[in-house]
């Protein structure tokens, strides 16, 4: 809506890396990056690890995310993994729906891996739970988080089908912007809900348990 498009004057180095096939086909991935960066910052904000570890974790995690998403050009390994996996699946005579689902899963896995590494680097606190319980909790949250990101990538990949418009070839209209906002909110709402539930569970476990009074 601000008029930013391929017709805008940008330094050639930036335009060559930003504009291209993957931005035209998956324009809402731009907002997936914004969501992920905000998630990394929020992990550091809610962690009680040392300040040095949190700052270092944010910097390294954000650098990893941007490298996987923007190198060598927009989309990086995240979208290329999905495109290559889905394309190879389709070439083996599988239905387009199956190829699309597998491609979205591949992109979600690479994208989610960057968030997982960021969470490990940022840290939180030593848990008093057993190794078995921590492993089970980690596997459950990792699995549900992956499924939520899989859903998100499947949704944002349908931007043009839903009427998002031809951005970045031209700027967006108000209606197209509304479609984009709705898709992004619908895509990442499940993952955001999982994050909220995890934070609520953590805050409950931090509350002191009232001592019982023996009769």
């Amino acid at each position: 809506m601000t008029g930013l498009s391929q017709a805008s004057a940008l330094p050639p180095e930036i335009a060559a890396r930003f504009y291209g096939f993957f931005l035209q086909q998956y324009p809402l991935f731009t907002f997936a990056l914004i969501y992920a960066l905000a998630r990394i910052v929020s992990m550091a904000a809610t962690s009680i690890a040392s300040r040095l570890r949190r700052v270092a974790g944010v910097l390294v995690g954000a650098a990893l995310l941007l490298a996987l998403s923007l190198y060598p050009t927009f989309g990086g390994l995240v979208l290329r993994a999905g495109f290559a996996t889905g394309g190879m699946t389709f070439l083996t005579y599988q239905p387009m729906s199956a190829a699309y689902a597998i491609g979205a899963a591949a992109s979600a896995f690479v994208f989610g891996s960057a968030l997982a590494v960021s969470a490990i680097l940022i840290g939180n606190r030593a848990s008093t739970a057993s190794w078995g319980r921590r492993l089970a909790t980690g596997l459950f949250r990792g699995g549900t988080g992956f499924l939520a990101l899989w859903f998100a990538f499947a949704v944002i990949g349908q931007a043009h089908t839903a009427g998002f418009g031809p951005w970045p070839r031209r700027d967006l209209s108000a209606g197209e912007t509304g479609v984009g906002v709705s898709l992004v909110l619908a895509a990442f709402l499940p993952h955001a809900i999982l994050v909220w539930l995890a934070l609520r569970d953590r805050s409950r476990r931090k509350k002191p348990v009232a001592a019982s009074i023996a009769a």
Side-chain angles (χ1 to χ4, degrees), residues 82 85-90 92-105 150:
T85 305
M88 290 302 298
T89 302
F90 183 70
T92 58
Y93 303 103
Q94 301 302 315
M96 177 59 76
S97 57
Y100 183 81
I102 292 174
W150 187 0

Side-chain angles (χ1 to χ4, degrees), residues 12-110:
E13 297 81 5
I14 297 179
R17 290 185 176 275
F18 188 65
Y19 296 122
F21 172 80
F22 286 102
L23 180 61
Q24 291 177 358
Q25 296 299 316
Y26 308 100
L28 294 184
F29 180 63
T30 307
F31 302 98
L33 280 176
I34 296 173
Y35 175 82
L37 291 172
R39 176 72 191 111
I40 291 174
V41 173
S42 69
M43 282 191 286
T46 57
S47 172
I48 59 173
S50 67
R51 179 175 298 179
L52 177 61
R53 178 172 179 176
R54 284 182 288 159
V55 172
V58 167
L59 294 177
V60 176
L64 176 62
L65 173 72
L66 294 176
L68 290 175
S69 303
L70 299 177
Y71 182 81
T73 58
F74 180 86
L77 181 60
V78 175
L79 292 186
R80 283 166 173 80
F83 187 78
T85 305
M88 290 302 298
T89 302
F90 183 70
L91 290 176
T92 58
Y93 303 103
Q94 301 302 315
M96 177 59 76
S97 57
Y100 183 81
I102 292 174
S107 291
F109 179 81
V110 178

Side-chain angles (χ1 to χ4, degrees), residues 149-195:
L149 289 177
W150 187 0
F151 172 80
F153 273 83
V155 171
I156 64 175
Q158 296 295 318
H160 293 307
T161 304
F164 178 66
W167 187 83
R169 290 193 293 272
R170 64 162 174 79
D171 55 342
L172 290 169
S173 67
E176 292 165 348
T177 302
V179 170
V181 170
S182 300
L183 286 175
V184 170
L185 290 176
F188 289 99
L189 182 61
H191 191 268
I193 291 175
L194 290 176
V195 171

Side-chain angles (χ1 to χ4, degrees), residues 77-149:
L77 181 60
V78 175
L79 292 186
R80 283 166 173 80
F83 187 78
T85 305
M88 290 302 298
T89 302
F90 183 70
L91 290 176
T92 58
Y93 303 103
Q94 301 302 315
M96 177 59 76
S97 57
Y100 183 81
I102 292 174
S107 291
F109 179 81
V110 178
F111 189 80
S113 297
L115 290 178
V117 171
S118 299
I120 294 172
L121 293 174
I122 292 171
N124 183 41
R125 66 187 180 93
S127 176
T128 58
S130 64
W131 278 101
R133 184 176 179 83
R134 278 184 283 176
L135 179 61
T137 301
L139 289 175
F140 174 76
R141 290 180 178 173
T144 53
F146 166 72
L147 291 176
L149 289 177

